[in-house]
Amino acid sequence: MSHQVLARKWRPARFEDLVGQPHVVRALSNALSGDRLHHAYLFSGTRGVGKTTLARILARCLNCETGVTPTPCGECRSCVEIAEGRHLDLIEVDAASRTRVDDTRELLDNVSYAPTTGRFKVYLIDEVHMLSEKSFNALLKTLEEPPDHVKFLLATTDPQKLPVTVLSRCLQFNLKPMPPAMIAEHLARVLAAEGVEAEPGALLRLGEAAEGSMRDALSLTDQAIAYGGERLSEADACDMLGLLPRTRLAGLLDAVFAGDGPGLLQGLAELDALGPDWSRLLDELAALVHQVAVRQVAGGEPEAGEEAEAWAHAVAGRVDPETVQLAYQILVHGVRDLPYAPDARMGVEMTLLRLLAFRPEPPPAAGETARPAPVKTDAARGPGSAPAAPRPQAPASANPAPPAAPARAPKTSPSAGPEPDPVADPAPAAAAPTAVREPGAEPPAAVEHAPAPAAAPLAPGAAFDWNRFALGLPAGTVRELAKHAELLQHDAERVVLALAQGTPCTDRAKTRLKEALEQALGHSLRLEIVDRSGPSDTTPAAQLAAASARRQAGAEASMREDPVVQALGQEFGAELGAVRIREDRAGDTVDGDAPLPARQQDAD
């Protein structure tokens, strides 16, 4: 007896044998049981998910000699002939090869005749979207009102190409692609019946390569059996598919998470000898990182024999979630940027080196001094931010250097200077003297700034500048949380903040804000956050918004009082439009985007 491929040998003959389409099976079974049959059915979905198989099973259900039933006997003449493809009343048409309107008219000429041997005359039109526009027009009337003995079963991989007039005349069933785990489970049953030994990892890789198609998975399984010699191993399946074993990829990520740069480069050099698909390699690495992230949230023990799950379970316990999320983002962006790399291997190498270079900064441990934020000058700060604290001055030398010329003060309009920041200290910081280098002298050596000393502990009940503390935090979630919070109470044991209802406040942000407060105040405390019914005008964010509104109003008033603007209005009837303040790189505000000319003093 000649060999029959697995995709044909294991084609489902009953609804119970169909894999991955329970929503379609349930609807058709209920319709057949309740004798609520439609005259036209449309099955859509990607290749190999069971469209033609479902249509043939439905044809057997309609013409089984035991009656219209969702469970055909499979033994009567109609069931056997339909299974073998020689039933006279099942007319299968490949629309891809019969697209002309003459072919459609010839097909419909026999619609009015009664079935020869069966109960219904069934027209199964595969790839129906390939019909021409005139063929669809010829089919419309018959498709809407066919004789009682005619059923139309249409199958397509692209329902978007069908006219809406055809779609409205059919019951539509969208068949879903099958996940790799479901495909691997079905392959395990098939190979157990075939007497072929297979590793679970090999079946999972075949399921992933099938991309949701059961027919593709069975065809790849046939190829894998021929490649491996009656035994399917994960290594053989990966070699056949041009993939890399998960254990080799897990070794790369282990080197990344351990900070082992030489080990990472050595692993890449070994993989380069295998000639891998570099883009697919990054996809596989991202999939492994995703598995780690899911394991960190879901927990649980890995299944026995699953090496990838065991590895993900081990990594989830020793790598923090921030590092995992950052690694996933870098890998996904690396796939996107790979076409722009000079070489595919170089792009992958740079992506993995980027994983080594960028690491989230861990939160300071108890009793540890937090890393100070970068020192910014007043000119580099945004509008409304607190000025930097004065730097300690070096002792005066015998020949002090002449002071530098004072910097030009920023202006928000031609006639009015910037309004003072409501959250800034009343006394401006003193500017440090700037040394002048003589011509021909050597440039001064770079001076490493020592970290700023921690804030001295405050006595209970002492004033605590919440605005300065909130705006001095590094940019991020914690700073935004502090900016929108109102300080209600502060003593030696606790700090009570009020937040408007609906303000995002995660446990992690609350913990980090508490650590920052303890660092600033110099002692441990309890942080309490209560809900506030309405907005407050005393939060740092509210005061920044108020200061911005005042600057906007001052700029508009200055523009209206400008002599040039007034002269233009008197001479030409010009009107002042919207005045918007924009920020330059140094944080200064200048007038911009005004529809009328204005004097731009110190705009540069």
Side-chain angles (χ1 to χ4, degrees), residues 309 400 541 602:
E309 291 189 6
D602 300 337

Side-chain angles (χ1 to χ4, degrees), residues 15 28 124 269 279 320 467:
F15 285 139
L28 293 178
L124 199 168
S279 177
D320 56 279
N467 291 336

